[in-house]
Amino acid sequence: MANKVVKSLMSNYEKAMKGVESVMGGTVLEYKAKTIYREGETKGWIKGKTEGMIETLAASIKALMENGQYNFDSAFNLIKAPTDKYNQIKELVLGATDLYF
């Protein structure tokens, strides 16, 4: 649409028309706000995926524990949950009080 407007308004001014077309034609500017937004969006996506993974692992451990054959640690090891997420998963499965007492 912008190209049509430029062509109709500047048909007699060839040099000006080429300059305007090159600017309007699409060099996408990268500015700080856009960069920050994209970084935040990426971090949010990663955080959401991580939280989803932790919730899924916690649900799996709960299901194993409800059967009565496994305690938290044995169920945690059985599903090979990442050890760096141990406390977060334990808090979801057993509740916060079990972590500190």
Side-chain angles (χ1 to χ4, degrees):
M1 173 96 170
N3 285 337
K4 289 181 182 180
V5 172
V6 169
K7 286 180 183 177
S8 69
L9 292 176
M10 302 189 130
S11 59
N12 296 335
Y13 306 98
E14 193 172 320
K15 284 184 179 181
M17 186 169 72
K18 286 182 182 178
V20 170
E21 281 180 338
S22 70
V23 171
M24 293 184 73
T27 305
V28 177
L29 300 175
E30 187 67 32
Y31 48 93
K32 192 166 184 134
K34 191 186 295 185
T35 303
I36 291 169
Y37 174 80
R38 285 195 182 127
E39 288 173 0
E41 190 174 42
T42 300
K43 287 178 183 178
W45 184 83
I46 290 168
K47 183 178 179 183
K49 293 295 265 184
T50 302
E51 288 175 1
M53 176 202 59
I54 289 170
E55 289 172 1
T56 301
L57 292 170
S60 298
I61 291 171
K62 273 185 183 181
L64 288 170
M65 289 174 63
E66 285 173 359
N67 190 5
Q69 292 181 303
Y70 299 98
N71 63 19
F72 177 81
D73 289 327
S74 60
F76 184 89
N77 292 329
L78 181 68
I79 66 169
K80 296 183 175 152
T83 55
D84 63 325
K85 305 297 181 203
Y86 180 87
N87 288 335
Q88 290 172 298
I89 295 170
K90 188 170 185 178
E91 184 175 344
L92 284 174
V93 173
L94 302 176
T97 57
D98 294 316
L99 285 177
Y100 308 108
F101 299 104

